[in-house]
Amino acid sequence: MTWRMPAETHPHERSWMAFPVAGQTLGDTGAEREECYAAWTAVGRAIAEFEPLTMVVDPSEAARARDLLGSGVELLEAPLDEFWMRDFGPSFVLDPERPGVLGAVDWIFNGWGDHEWSDWAKAAEIARVIAGRTGAELVSSTLVNEGGGIHVDGEGTVLLTETVQLDPRRNRYADKARVEAEMLRTIGATTPIWLPRGLTRDYDEFGTNGHVDIVATFPSPGHVLLHEQRDPAHPDHEVSREIRAVLAGARDAAGRALEIVELPAPTQIRDEEGLVDWSYVNHYVLNGGVIACGFGDEKSDAEARAILADAYPGREVVTVDARAIFARGGGIHCITQQQPALVPVGAHAGA
């Protein structure tokens, strides 16, 4: 059996998210909590304009979720302690030899390295809950990994980060060979491209230690969208250059050199917590559209929309304010997960 994780541009059956619940991420004040609910709701409503969305919701938040999301979003009640669906949810895969079969990779989730602050025991069960709901075959992994820690082109290439999959708090005894073997077994990745690190803020106390989905992604095979920090006063200026050099020397599963397109960061480089990691790379591609991160910077947001529209021809690019999400440690891609449609791998969904 050969599983293959399709590209995000592959047609979707639906999208998955998780609704906020009381805990570290939600916020300490009433205003912070309302801000969190509003941000997740805005993303959910935007997705529902393009394709079906199922929102996993803790029973304690079911009434609020229904009130905020309305009848256009399906709710699935299950115990939650976190709500970053990309990271603890399943990575869906297809079997090219069995066109009607859906697989769901259940990575081990330990709260981005089992930190003192992380609550993850309930979230770690959600991949199996969703696999059961969708009728997917469970692909149980021995690797501690998160969906935000990988990006694929759908043809066998995967982007990884040395500080994530080789993080001793995640995989104490792993080396690149073991990680690569597991990527081949679970998602059909034949060609790994290892990036040395992620963005600077992602190494703060509440960061992921370098998730790739805020740094680089494949809009199509042979092409990479790369976060570009233009301001030399920000350490990510040098990080972007370092990662670009790695990508420029890489080859994908088809043996191609990668065409790199920069997605410039917003001009604001600080918030009340310090240096930001605001990134337009952390967008979500879905049937007929792209949900892009917005940062209240009209010029930069518009520039990002134009680049994304060129990268994903035939799709409508919609901007949703992502500042409240980034303040909690991630972006729009981090809170979403695609379920691919059961059509041949390599198919693409346009407008």
Side-chain angles (χ1 to χ4, degrees):
M1 183 184 301
T2 305
W3 294 110
R4 172 64 61 84
M5 184 175 176
E8 207 164 293
T9 51
H10 180 97
H12 296 182
E13 179 70 23
R14 66 177 54 249
S15 288
W16 290 84
M17 291 180 62
F19 194 75
V21 66
Q24 183 73 41
T25 305
L26 187 60
D28 297 326
T29 69
E32 289 175 345
R33 291 190 287 272
E34 290 304 316
E35 175 188 68
C36 185
Y37 291 127
W40 263 250
T41 297
V43 174
R45 285 182 171 272
I47 290 172
E49 292 294 318
F50 290 90
E51 66 187 41
L53 170 66
T54 299
M55 183 77 72
V56 179
V57 57
D58 188 84
S60 66
E61 293 287 358
R64 189 194 312 271
R66 174 56 60 221
D67 181 57
L68 291 175
L69 292 165
S71 59
V73 174
E74 179 186 63
L75 300 186
L76 172 59
E77 290 191 31
L80 284 177
D81 43 19
E82 266 297 355
F83 37 99
W84 301 95
M85 178 58 78
R86 177 68 53 177
D87 290 350
F88 59 74
S91 293
F92 286 105
V93 289
L94 302 176
D95 183 352
E97 297 178 359
R98 298 183 296 163
V101 176
L102 179 69
V105 179
D106 178 21
W107 310 107
I108 297 173
F109 179 68
N110 73 346
W112 308 277
D114 194 17
H115 300 274
E116 292 181 1
W117 50 262
S118 56
D119 294 318
W120 50 267
K122 296 176 182 177
E125 300 298 321
I126 295 300
R128 291 174 179 267
V129 171
I130 293 176
R133 178 63 171 256
T134 61
E137 288 190 15
L138 194 70
V139 184
S140 185
S141 176
T142 59
L143 189 72
V144 178
N145 186 48
E146 303 91 36
I150 58 174
H151 254 314
V152 301
D153 67 353
E155 294 188 352
T157 316
V158 61
L159 294 174
L160 304 165
T161 313
E162 293 178 9
T163 57
V164 173
Q165 285 80 24
L166 302 182
D167 179 1
R169 298 185 65 115
R170 287 175 167 98
N171 298 297
R172 184 176 179 183
Y173 301 107
D175 57 18
K176 286 186 178 180
R178 289 186 174 94
V179 172
E180 291 169 7
E182 185 66 353
M183 290 291 158
L184 176 62
R185 185 185 73 85
T186 55
I187 65 172
T190 59
T191 306
I193 299 175
W194 286 93
L195 304 184
R197 57 162 296 138
L199 301 185
T200 301
R201 183 156 168 172
D202 208 12
Y203 294 88
D204 287 353
E205 180 183 3
F206 299 111
T208 71
N209 221 44
H211 269 190
V212 74
D213 71 348
I214 203 170
V215 178
T217 187
F218 295 110
S220 59
H223 299 79
V224 174
L225 289 171
L226 173 65
H227 176 75
E228 181 191 26
Q229 176 53 255
R230 293 173 170 173
D231 192 333
H234 197 305
D236 285 342
H237 178 70
E238 288 302 319
V239 172
S240 297
R241 291 163 59 94
E242 180 183 6
I243 293 173
R244 194 188 200 288
V246 173
L247 292 170
R251 294 293 184 271
D252 67 10
R256 292 171 294 224
L258 298 171
E259 181 177 328
I260 302 169
V261 176
E262 279 93 359
L263 259 177
T267 55
Q268 182 177 336
I269 66 171
R270 291 183 176 274
D271 63 8
E272 59 275 11
E273 298 295 329
L275 292 164
V276 300
D277 56 358
W278 293 352
S279 172
Y280 295 110
V281 169
N282 200 262
H283 54 274
Y284 180 53
V285 184
L286 68 174
N287 294 342
V290 178
I291 310 299
C293 296
F295 300 101
D297 182 331
E298 184 175 343
K299 183 178 179 181
S300 294
D301 289 356
E303 182 181 10
R305 275 195 303 274
I307 294 172
L308 291 171
D310 286 341
Y312 301 101
R315 298 177 194 265
E316 180 185 357
V317 183
V318 176
T319 298
V320 176
D321 194 320
R323 286 172 290 182
I325 307 174
F326 272 81
R328 288 162 173 80
I332 289 174
H333 192 261
C334 306
I335 67 173
T336 55
Q337 182 62 267
Q338 70 275 4
Q339 178 185 335
L342 295 175
V343 298
V345 176
H348 293 263

